[in-house]
Amino acid sequence: MTNQTTLIIGANSAIAKALALQVIDNNDSHLIVVTRDISFYQHEKFSHCKVISIKDYQESSIKTVVQAIGEDEAISISQVFICHGLLHNDVITPEKRLQEFSAESFTEILTANTITPMLWLKNLLPTLKGKQACKVVVFSARVGSISDNKIGGWYSYRASKAAINMLLKSAAVEFSRTAKNIKLISFHPGTTDTPLSKPFQKNVPENKLFTSEFVAKQLLQIVEDNKVDGEASFLDWQGKAIPW
C-alpha cells in the first residue's frame, strides 16, 4: 500500500513551516521536507517525517535529493509545494526606477524565483508522473501578471514571476499530453507577515496582512478543491484566478 505524500521544497520559509505543521496536524499525509536549514524540523512533532538537508539549489544537489525521494517505492506524492522566493536581501532592493536595474541583482532574483523552481519540476517529473493525481504549487505573485501591471517598478521581481508563470503555462501544455496526472498551480499568497514582506508592510491595510498560518490553510484548501484538468492555474489566496 502506498502512502499519500506531501513534499515541501524550500521548507524554511514562514509559509512552508506553516504548511508543514498543518499537514502534520491533519494526520492524513506522509510529509517530506527539503531545506538548507533543518533546525525547525528537529522538533519531535516531525519525528515521523522525512527531513532532507540540501546544501544548495544547484541542479546537481537537486538531482541527488530527487533520487533519494524516488528510491522509496512506497511513496506516492500527491501534492508538492515549491516555496522558493527572493524579493530583497542585504544588497538587493526592488527597483523604483529603471536606473536602479542591475544585471547581477536580476540574475540572483531570476535564479531564486524562476530557474530553481523549474529545475525542481524538471527533475521531479519522472517521479511524479503516473496514475496518482498530483498537484504542484509554485509560489508566484500577483505582480507577475503582465496584464495587471498598472504601476510599474520592481522590474526584476515582476519579471521573474512573469517568467515562472509562462514556464508553468508551457509545462502544463506538455503535461496535458505526457503527464496527465499532474496539475500545476502558480500561487499568489497575498501580503503575508514574513521577512520577505516586512519592509513593505506599512501601506498594507490591516485586514490584508495575512499570517502564514492563514495562507497555509487557504492554500491547502485550494489544492484540495482544484482538479487535475491539464491546465496551469494562476490563483490568489482566495482561490480566485489572476489574469496572466
Side-chain angles (χ1 to χ4, degrees):
M1 182 176 178
T2 58
N3 295 315
Q4 296 294 298
T5 299
T6 296
L7 171 61
I8 302 176
I9 297 169
N12 199 46
S13 76
I15 297 175
K17 291 174 181 176
L19 281 168
L21 286 169
Q22 291 188 31
V23 168
I24 288 296
D25 288 342
N26 289 339
N27 291 320
D28 59 357
S29 177
H30 181 64
L31 176 64
I32 302 173
V33 298
V34 180
T35 178
R36 287 184 292 186
D37 181 358
I38 65 171
S39 56
F40 179 79
Y41 297 97
Q42 299 307 293
H43 192 279
E44 62 180 14
K45 200 176 190 73
F46 298 101
S47 59
H48 298 295
C49 303
K50 187 169 187 176
V51 180
I52 301 176
S53 175
I54 188 169
K55 63 178 181 178
D56 56 49
Y57 290 114
Q58 300 296 316
E59 187 164 14
S60 58
S61 300
I62 290 172
K63 285 181 176 179
T64 300
V65 168
V66 171
Q67 183 177 5
I69 292 171
E71 287 173 353
D72 189 344
E73 296 182 358
I75 289 175
S76 182
I77 298 174
S78 58
Q79 51 186 5
V80 180
F81 301 94
I82 302 176
C83 303
H84 297 296
L86 174 62
L87 173 59
H88 62 88
N89 57 26
D90 292 341
V91 296
I92 296 173
T93 56
E95 309 96 336
K96 294 181 180 179
R97 56 197 184 100
L98 184 57
Q99 282 73 15
E100 297 171 2
F101 182 82
S102 158
E104 292 78 12
S105 296
F106 181 45
T107 299
E108 187 171 347
I109 289 174
L110 193 70
T111 298
N113 294 343
T114 311
I115 297 172
T116 300
M118 289 306 294
L119 289 176
W120 279 111
L121 188 59
K122 167 191 169 183
N123 286 281
L124 280 168
L125 180 58
T127 301
L128 300 182
K129 66 189 298 186
K131 295 181 179 179
Q132 168 65 50
C134 182
K135 284 72 172 284
V136 179
V137 176
V138 177
F139 278 46
S140 183
R142 190 181 299 275
V143 296
S145 166
I146 292 175
S147 59
D148 191 59
N149 184 359
K150 303 296 193 300
I151 61 174
W154 289 29
Y155 288 87
S156 297
Y157 189 71
R158 283 185 185 276
S160 69
K161 295 301 188 179
I164 191 62
N165 287 348
M166 178 58 81
L167 289 166
L168 292 174
K169 266 281 213 179
S170 292
V173 173
E174 179 180 343
F175 291 1
S176 68
R177 301 189 299 267
T178 62
K180 296 181 179 181
N181 65 304
I182 297 176
K183 167 72 176 180
L184 297 177
I185 299 172
S186 181
F187 177 64
H188 167 63
T191 304
T192 310
D193 190 9
T194 67
L196 184 143
S197 71
K198 190 68 70 177
F200 314 101
Q201 293 179 4
K202 63 180 181 179
N203 294 322
V204 178
E206 185 176 350
N207 63 344
K208 292 296 184 180
L209 181 62
F210 306 130
T211 65
S212 298
E213 293 74 20
F214 171 77
V215 173
K217 182 179 179 181
Q218 293 292 110
L219 178 53
L220 288 169
Q221 188 62 54
I222 288 167
V223 170
E224 182 177 338
D225 291 344
N226 274 264
K227 306 303 181 185
V228 178
D229 57 5
E231 297 182 1
S233 295
F234 185 16
L235 304 174
D236 70 6
W237 57 273
Q238 302 172 93
K240 293 183 178 180
I242 299 173
W244 297 94

